[in-house]
Amino acid sequence: MTDVPHYVVNVEAAIYRDGDYLLVERAADEDHASGQLALVGGKVEGTAHETGTFESTIHREVREEVDVGVTDLTYVQSNAFVADTGAECLNVVFLARHDEDEPVVAAPEEVAAVHWLAPGAVESHPDCPEWTAAFVSLAEERRQSLGW
């Protein structure tokens, strides 16, 4: 038997509302990208051959981290990267519309703060890594193409 690569599968939501995107500041104790701005999301966990695994993971992670609802999940892009821990990751980004409730820090061990930012403010934010800015830019292009 040959070695089969194993990836951490991560999904993220570029949550849109009234011209802004919801970003989180990752908690200081996070193993990857601590203190930096990120989209809301997390790891796919323990699926049992279900349909809509990415989508259900986004709904779960968004509720767990910032306690809001989202709708209209639309694929934006995927990428692979190596996390700060050395883990190989597959990442999938979706655009989503904010649906209900105001975001709060619901998982302080993962999220230090929440921010609504316009795409230009994301790109120029000093704590925003280039990949997060790129994801928001791609999500904004997709949103505009959909006429939202």
Side-chain angles (χ1 to χ4, degrees):
M1 179 179 213
T2 61
D3 288 333
V4 177
H6 294 276
Y7 291 91
V8 173
V9 179
N10 189 66
V11 294
E12 296 182 281
I15 303 169
Y16 177 80
R17 179 183 79 179
D18 299 329
D20 294 334
Y21 286 88
L22 179 61
L23 285 97
V24 296
E25 178 184 327
R26 293 175 57 82
D29 291 338
E30 283 287 272
D31 290 336
H32 178 73
S34 63
Q36 295 186 323
L37 291 183
L39 299 176
V40 182
K43 297 176 196 164
V44 173
E45 298 173 354
T47 64
H49 305 286
E50 68 181 51
T51 301
T53 300
F54 292 159
E55 296 85 348
S56 64
T57 298
I58 285 174
H59 286 287
R60 175 181 51 80
E61 287 288 338
V62 167
R63 189 57 74 184
E64 288 176 0
E65 292 184 7
V66 295
D67 199 24
V68 299
V70 295
T71 62
D72 301 324
L73 295 176
T74 304
Y75 174 81
V76 172
Q77 71 94 48
S78 63
N79 64 291
F81 68 96
V82 177
D84 296 344
T85 62
E88 293 185 39
C89 301
L90 174 62
N91 190 58
V92 183
V93 177
F94 287 83
L95 172 63
R97 287 189 207 234
H98 174 258
D99 185 41
E100 63 184 19
D101 303 321
E102 283 302 311
V104 296
V105 174
E109 66 283 358
E110 296 178 40
V111 175
V114 297
H115 306 276
W116 285 108
L117 297 171
V122 172
E123 186 175 322
S124 64
H125 196 285
D127 295 326
C128 186
E130 63 185 41
W131 59 84
T132 300
F135 296 160
V136 170
S137 178
L138 289 168
E140 179 64 4
E141 287 176 19
R142 183 76 171 123
R143 182 195 69 75
Q144 289 178 7
S145 76
L146 294 169
W148 290 9

